[in-house]
Structures are given as C-alpha cells and as structure tokens.
C-alpha cells in the first residue's frame, strides 16, 4: 500500500517553470473561509463595486471563482441585488453557474431572461441540468424556450420532461458512451479519440447488445490498462446495477450509495439503454433526501431559506393549525381534571414537566426510527426487534427520570405522595413515548405513508395527552386530590 | 443530445449467444424488494437453512448477493444469529462485505475473529476500508492485528491511524496514480498497462511536480480521447480541489458535493500528495452528516438501531435530564401564577396549547436554520436577512393561529376576554419562537458550537416559559383573573 509504488521515481522528473507559474494562477482560496464559504467582505466588495458602476473590477474579482462559488454569491446577496449582479457579471453567469444555483434563486433570475437566452443556456448543458432549469418554468414560458431550442435539444428535453418529476428520467443525461460487445479495447480508444461530440465527463462506458440493451459496464481504468487487441466483452463487468427510467430519485440515490456507483445505465421498460446518471448528480440528492426528514418532522415544508415567504408561510401554518387541533385533545384532558387542579394547584405547575419530558423521549425514538427507515435499515425482518429495543430503552430512561423527578418533587413540596405520583406518571409517559415513537412511523411506513411527515404530530399528541392523563389521573386515584 | 450519436450503428453489431446466457446468470433481484431491501422471506430462509445445518444451500443462496446485500443480511438478523451465520457463510463474509457493514454489527463480528484473520482481511482492503475496520478495536487487539500485518500494510495503516478520527487522513486511500508532468499520454497508458499492482478503481490521475506536489488532475476520459504523443500537462486541468490531510470529514463531504468531485488529491502540510479520496467513500458520509442533525436536535445520540442499548441509554438519558432541568423553569413560572389558576382553572387547560404551538413554531425555524447552516447556505452575509425573514413568517403564522385560537376560545368559554388573551399570547410566543429558532443556532454557530446539539433545549425552554408567562401574565394584567 506504499504510495510511491504508483508514481514514477523522482529522478525521472523534470521541472517546467511556466507550469509552476500557471499553477500559481489557479483560483485563490483567499475569497473563501475555512469552510469553503465566500467571505462576507468579498460579497460586500463585489456588491459595492457593482453599485459603484465598476463593472470590470467586479467581473475581474468574480471571474476567478469556481462556478459553484459564483452560484453561492448569487444566493448570498439579497433579492434586490441579484438582477444588478446578473447584469454586471454578464456571461460570468454561465450555464454551469445556473446549474449549480439554488432552485428558488435561479427561478427568479431566469424570469429576467428572454426565452432565447434561456434556450441558449439550456443547449450548452447536459440534458439533466437543462431540464432542471426548464422544469420549474411556467407552462407558456417553458414552451417559448422549447421553441427557441434546436430540434435535437428540444427532443431530448421534451423527452425528459415526459417523465414525472424526481424520477430517473428527469435526472439522467442522454449523453453517454455505448459500444457493441464485439469491439476491441483498441476500437473503443480509437472511437473515443475520433468522436469530438462526446460528453466530456464520463467514467464508465456501457456495452450494449443489438437491441441496445446494456449487457455490461466497463470502467475507463480497465480500458486504459488492457492491451488494444482484447475484446471489450472480456474487460467489462456483467453484474451491473441498472436504473429503471421511472425509478424515484430517492431510490436512485439509495442504490448509488448502497452499491458505491460512479455512474449507472438507465433503461426503459424494454430494458433498452436510454441514458446515464452520474454520481455527481446524485450527491446533492442524497444530501437533500437525508436532510429532508428533519424538516418534515418539524413541519417546515421545503425548509429552504430562499423559498418565497408566501410559500413558507402556507407550508408551516398548515402544520401549526394541525398542531392546534391535537393540542385541544391534551387541553380537554386537563379540563376534565379542573377540580383536581383547583384543589391542588401544584399539579398545574408540575404537569408540563411530565408532558414535556415525555414528548422529548418520543422525539428521540421518532428521529432514530425515521432515519433508519429512510436508510432502509428497518424492514419487516427487524422491525419487531426495533420496537422491543425501544421498550427496553424507554424503561431505563423512564426509571432514571422517575427517580430524579420523583425525589425532587417529594423534597420540594415536602409531599412524598406527589413525588410518587409524578414518578409513576413519568415511567408511564416515557414508556408510551418510546412505543409511539417507533410504532407510529413503522405503521405509517407499512401504509406507504412518509413516516417523517405525519408521525411527530401523532407522537406529540400521544405524549402530551398521556402525560396529563397519567399525572392528573394518578393524583386523583391516589387520593392526593379530588375532582 | 441524441443518444444514438454515442453508439455505433446497429448494423455493425453481431450477437453472441453465451454472452446473453451469462447475462441471465447475473445476480437475481428476486431476493430484493422494490426498495433494494432484502425480502424478509429470504432472510428467514437463510437463517432456517443455517440452523438446519444445510450450509451448502445457505451459501449457495447468499453467494449470489452483492457484498452490500450480504452486509445487510448480517444487519437484519438478530445479534444471536450473527455468529452462526458468519460460521456458515465462511469466506462469503469477505473483506468487501465487512467494509460495507454497519460499524456496530461489524465490531461484534470482528471480536469473534483471531487477530491473524482480521489482519488478512485488512491486507486485502484499500487503506481507508482497512482503517475503518481496525480503528474501532480495543488498543491491545488493534496492536495484535497490526503485528500480524506485513510491514508495508502496517506502515500504511499506522500512518492512517496517526490522523484524528473523521479526518481526510483516515478517509484517504494510499493507492492512487501520480505521474510527472513531462510524460505523454502514451507514456501514461503504457505505464497503466504494465503496472499490475495498481489499485483497480481510480477515475482520475494526478500530475505531480518533483516535490510530489499535485499540479494538475486528469480525468481518464481525457486521456482516452487524446492522441498518445500529447504531453499529459496539456491535457490535465490545473484548477483542482485539494484536500488537506487534517480536514474534517464533514468539510471534505461538503467540498466533494459543492465541486461535484469524483476523486480528489489529499495533500500534507507541505502540499505533497499523500493520498486520494474517491466519491464512493464520501457518499455515505454525506448521508450520515445530513441525517445526523435530526438525531442531534432530538438528543438521540448516534441514533443507530444497532448501537448497544447501554450506549443508547446513556446518550438519551443525559438529554432527558437536561430537559427536566429546563422544564423546571417553565414549571416555576406556572407556579408563580398558582393563584391566578386557582381563580380561573380554564387557564390550566389552555396554557399547554400556547406553549405547545409555540414550541412547534420554534422547531420549524430551528430545523430550517440548522439545515441551512449545515449546508453552508447561511453565512454572516445573509444571517441578518434570515432572522428578518423568520420574523415576518412568525408574524404571519402568529396572526393566523391567534385568530383561530382566539375566536375558538372566545366562543367555547363564552369569554371574549379570554379569547383576546390567548390570541395575544399566541402572537407573542410564536414571534419569540421564530426569533429564538433562528437566533440561537446562529449564535451557537458563531461560537463554534454545533448548532444542532444544544439549540433545541434552549428553544423549547424559551417557548415553554414564554408561552406560560405571556398567557398567564396577560390573563392577570387584563384583569381576567388575579394572583
């Protein structure tokens, strides 16, 4: 595993000055902080230059950035500044930059462009990136752009748009390399050298049968390391992971992750090769999908800080209203014990603790279960084991908390009975929370519902209601107070 | 963008029967459900065969699976069945399978093996995978394994272990391809064909200067498409993203994602090439890091369903105790208004609603902010804008909820005053929730604390306390009730 083995011995090397020179001209990290984020000073400077009309200076500074950083620049400046920035930077706002940009930010920028401009941008991108830009447009604008595209690109993009959003058909690019199985490694290399229209970025080539069905995949490194006269079919790997064109992007992402894929062939119903998905298009989906659950659990909708306020409001308020409804249940239960509280008002002060800690325990279990489901770690094979596991943990947690809360209350209120009641209520509620936290998402998943979306409302309702019911109920039952 | 352009015209093709035949022999998807999860029946069958002593049959069925699926199989069966399964499957439990396996599950399996066996497994893996297996072992066992390794492998692994956990130094593999800048494309191809010790999987080669510092990167596709006599230095890309060997893995993941990297050179302090990280090693980190926040926010620790119960318990109970402490604050506030509640017990029934909905609104904002911070979308450039945005959303949400809760209460209790009080309290609490939900994580981030870990405790404490204070305080201030 010695690293030197892979590099020629140093003595064979020679230095070439102007390369060193050019290397120094590589993009300066100085505009970025240690987390690869654009420094606030830089962002401010650029805007200042733009507003001061020093467009050349602004372009000069931004021009040294990677497209992904230019995209970030647009996301970091305010809505108001973006059109100005766009006009100042001109063609620095390249197709690559737009492809890297946050959907909401890009949408608003695209609205400023003429259909012809959008069409020109789209034609420079791979299908998947072009589609990402066009799919969010209004119906009529979309048509205008499609009309402005040359027939070949239009066909490819319309084809892509014919697949449902968030499926492999939308994600895939139509640009890939496929060869018949009888060709030799030499043939392939020669073809790659001749064909100048090829997509620049590909990592594997696909070997197809006469029906254009993929029968094998070949990493470029294998081709490079094989003598020219060997048949490609002897180099390729037959076990390959194919992506159905209608597969949901979350499944595609999980498949890429599970099998550590760099690229994969996309096939239609008939098993014919229709496109290619590369891992770099998947990485941001993995990040999105994995991050989505936290937003769904909290009912924060898309949770994108660039989302228009109107949309954010309607996404969140719906959730809060639902929460208001479930809170009524807990509230009604408390209402039933109005008398008990009047006789012993300390109950009113203590009951939020029982409900709160229980809710917290429920959220812990819920988060773990939702993650495990999202990562395909929980199946019918081990779900009962998971429930059983959470029960044991809940009893341990409940016992510990009961001990602390119980003794604390007994001392604080000089009332051992009250301490016993809160201790018992804690054990009950934390146990119920644990069971609800794992059972509710599993149930929703079994019903093909997204466990992340609805679970937390049910779990919170359960833990609140059970917290009040157990605590107040036990207080009455134990004769501490009366209704 | 027509796909045909990249494949030779069909008439050139010829069919080869036994290829089709071999293709049919590819691993059957029949063991997997539509989500690429092993079917429960299959898992049960394998265990039944193993317990019935039909080892050949068991091996035969499992042998057709992808290593990642064999790893899943071990995760899906119970702790008790794993040793049996391991002994039955024998060498089907390959290094690749172990590399794919959940850390906790693997750890317990490794404990069953002799150091020599572990060493043999490690020597077959790339450094990064070997390290992943060895780093979790006990000090003494680890030493025993290292002793059993041949010197070269031991040096590479000890070198890796010398870097802190979760850094690029642990992630990188020492196997990569580096060439001096003066060689031609032909030289490179010849070398790749000759050198049989090369790592099989690489997607780019690195061009280094005499000091072994990377000065450029070259995708294999560029090499394949360039005539042999061209200098590699004319093909390579000089703008490259280098990974410092001590960089945290979360930053590495963000960098891979941001710049859509397939592989990247890892450099030491002196800028010398010391290793390579490939995207397939990063993908699961992106998934982990993105999913971690939900677990941290809820205080669920690692949140792995395979984690030993003892560890899960201690991780979660700490959080619940902290929560118990913060709940005391809210509880104390309620205590202060004991008299008010005695005079008007309806307050006790309504106050959980104000606190609950406020807490929910706070969690929404919190989730969005934590995600945005994790994805480097929030910097000093736009954090004030984010706070301002959340304030506006909070006012919209607060207004809506106030209207519903207020009118509902006024009608229900036939008490307009009470309706007005709960409406006002809702607006106050939801606004406070919004501000706390964005300000607290931003503040923690500014203080270099992980915003996901501590935020939710503070936010919940704020919304609970403020909910009770606003509601009960206004009830008293408005003369509805008295202390």
């Amino acid at each position: 595993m010695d690293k030197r083995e892979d590099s020629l011995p140093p003595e064979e090397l020679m230095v070439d000055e102007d390369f060193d020179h050019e290397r120094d001209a590589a993009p300066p990290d100085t505009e970025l902080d240690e987390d690869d984020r654009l420094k606030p000073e830089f962002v401010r400077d650029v805007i200042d230059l733009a507003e001061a009309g020093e467009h050349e200076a602004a372009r000069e500074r931004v021009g040294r950035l990677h497209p992904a950083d230019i995209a970030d620049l647009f996301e970091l400046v305010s809505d108001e500044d973006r059109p100005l920035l766009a006009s100042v930077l001109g063609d620095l706002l390249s197709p690559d930059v737009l492809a890297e940009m946050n959907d909401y930010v890009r949408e608003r920028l695209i609205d400023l462009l003429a259909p012809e401009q959008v069409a020109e941008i789209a034609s420079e991108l791979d299908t998947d990136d072009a589609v990402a830009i066009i799919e969010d447009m209004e119906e009529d604008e979309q048509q205008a752009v499609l009309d402005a595209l040359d027939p070949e690109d239009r066909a490819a993009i319309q084809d892509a748009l014919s697949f449902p959003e968030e499926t492999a058909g939308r994600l895939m690019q139509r640009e890939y390399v496929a060869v018949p199985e009888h060709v030799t490694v030499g043939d392939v290399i020669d073809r790659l050298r001749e064909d100048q229209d090829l997509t620049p970025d590909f990592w594997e080539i696909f070997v197809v049968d006469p029906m254009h069905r993929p029968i094998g995949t070949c990493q470029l490194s294998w081709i490079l390391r094989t003598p020219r006269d060997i048949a490609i079919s002897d180099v390729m790997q037959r076990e390959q992971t194919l992506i159905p064109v209608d597969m949901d992007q979350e499944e595609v992402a999980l498949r890429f992750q599970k099998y550590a894929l760099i690229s994969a062939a996309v096939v239609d119903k008939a098993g014919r090769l229709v496109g290619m998905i590369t891992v770099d298009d998947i990485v941001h989906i993995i990040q999105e999908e994995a991050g989505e659950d936290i937003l769904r659990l909290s009912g924060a909708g898309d949770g994108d800080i660039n989302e228009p306020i109107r949309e954010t409001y309607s996404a969140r308020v719906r959730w809060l209203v639902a929460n208001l409804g479930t809170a009524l249940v807990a509230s009604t239960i408390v209402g039933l014990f109005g008398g008990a509280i009047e006789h012993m008002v300390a109950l009113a002060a203590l009951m939020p603790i029982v409900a709160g800690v229980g809710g917290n325990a429920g959220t812990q279990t819920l988060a773990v279960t939702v993650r495990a489901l999202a990562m395909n770690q929980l199946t019918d094979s081990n779900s009962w084991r998971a429930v059983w596991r959470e029960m044991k943990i809940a009893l341990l947690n409940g016992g510990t908390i009961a001990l602390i809360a119980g003794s604390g209350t007994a001392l604080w209120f000089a009332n051992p009975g009250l301490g016993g009641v809160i201790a018992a209520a804690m054990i009950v509620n934390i146990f119920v929370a644990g069971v609800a936290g794992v059972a509710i998402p599993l149930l929703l998943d079994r019903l093909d519902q997204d466990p992340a979306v609805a679970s937390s409302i049910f779990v919170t309702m359960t833990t609140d209601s059970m917290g009040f019911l157990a605590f107040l109920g036990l207080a009455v039952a134990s004769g501490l107070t009366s209704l």
Side-chain angles (χ1 to χ4, degrees), chain A residues 227-269:
Chain A
R228 291 181 60 93
D229 55 346
I230 305 291
I232 199 72
S233 53
D234 296 335
V235 187
M236 72 185 187
Q237 179 181 27
R238 290 176 191 288
E239 289 70 34
Q240 46 177 353
T241 310
L242 302 175
I243 307 287
V245 74
D246 56 358
M247 182 180 239
D248 179 82
Q249 67 175 24
E250 181 164 10
E251 292 309 320
V252 177
L254 281 170
R255 192 169 276 197
F256 262 75
Q257 186 186 4
K258 179 174 184 180
Y259 298 120
L261 305 176
I262 296 298
S263 64
V266 180
V267 293
D268 63 14
K269 293 250 179 307

Side-chain angles (χ1 to χ4, degrees), chain A residues 163-202:
Chain A
F163 296 104
E165 278 192 48
E166 308 212 323
T167 60
R170 289 278 180 113
L171 278 179
M172 71 185 182
Q173 58 189 75
R174 272 70 181 160
E175 304 78 15
Y176 57 81
V177 181
V179 299
E181 53 194 288
H182 65 76
V183 300
T184 66
V185 167
D187 299 338
V188 173
I189 295 179
D190 295 340
R191 257 205 59 237
L192 292 174
R193 290 200 178 130
E194 289 152 15
D195 188 340
Q196 288 317 312
D197 305 340
L198 284 185
T199 170
D201 298 327
F202 60 96

Side-chain angles (χ1 to χ4, degrees), chain A residues 114-350:
Chain A
E116 296 67 27
Q117 294 171 284
V118 181
E120 195 189 327
I121 290 167
S123 61
E124 288 183 41
L125 293 169
D126 282 340
T127 340
D128 55 331
D129 293 327
V131 167
I133 289 184
I134 293 177
E135 65 184 354
D136 300 327
M137 302 179 77
E138 302 293 333
E139 194 54 55
D140 53 340
E141 295 167 359
Q142 202 178 77
Q143 197 49 55
V145 173
L146 287 171
D147 297 342
L149 280 167
D150 65 66
E152 206 177 57
D153 293 349
R154 187 188 308 133
I157 290 175
Q158 277 172 326
D159 178 29
L161 290 171
S162 71
F163 296 104
E165 278 192 48
E166 308 212 323
T167 60
R170 289 278 180 113
L171 278 179
M172 71 185 182
Q173 58 189 75
R174 272 70 181 160
E175 304 78 15
Y176 57 81
V177 181
V179 299
E181 53 194 288
H182 65 76
V183 300
T184 66
V185 167
D187 299 338
V188 173
I189 295 179
D190 295 340
R191 257 205 59 237
L192 292 174
R193 290 200 178 130
E194 289 152 15
D195 188 340
Q196 288 317 312
D197 305 340
L198 284 185
T199 170
D201 298 327
F202 60 96
W203 313 96
E204 294 171 309
I205 67 172
F206 306 113
V207 182
V208 294
D209 69 8
M211 307 302 299
H212 208 71
R213 290 174 306 202
I215 59 173
T217 310
C218 195
Q219 291 185 15
L220 297 188
S221 61
W222 305 341
I223 297 176
L224 273 169
R225 302 181 55 187
T226 310
R228 291 181 60 93
D229 55 346
I230 305 291
I232 199 72
S233 53
D234 296 335
V235 187
M236 72 185 187
Q237 179 181 27
R238 290 176 191 288
E239 289 70 34
Q240 46 177 353
T241 310
L242 302 175
I243 307 287
V245 74
D246 56 358
M247 182 180 239
D248 179 82
Q249 67 175 24
E250 181 164 10
E251 292 309 320
V252 177
L254 281 170
R255 192 169 276 197
F256 262 75
Q257 186 186 4
K258 179 174 184 180
Y259 298 120
L261 305 176
I262 296 298
S263 64
V266 180
V267 293
D268 63 14
K269 293 250 179 307
R272 283 189 306 269
L273 179 62
V274 293
M276 169 176 75
I277 296 180
T278 53
V279 69
D280 53 306
D281 300 319
I282 290 299
V283 158
H284 75 276
I285 292 176
I286 293 175
Q287 154 77 278
E288 273 171 29
E289 300 282 352
E292 248 173 21
D293 290 341
I294 186 177
L295 301 166
R296 293 188 181 159
L297 265 185
S298 62
D302 283 356
D304 191 303
I305 58 171
N306 297 296
E307 186 182 38
I309 285 187
R310 202 182 55 269
E311 294 178 29
T312 307
Y313 160 67
S314 71
R316 292 197 203 173
V317 79
R318 251 189 259 112
W319 193 264
L320 294 176
V321 171
N323 186 250
L324 192 58
T326 55
L328 278 179
V329 180
S331 165
T332 315
I333 291 177
V334 177
L336 296 175
F337 292 91
I341 293 171
E342 252 172 320
H343 297 132
M344 189 180 200
V345 79
L347 298 177
L350 291 173

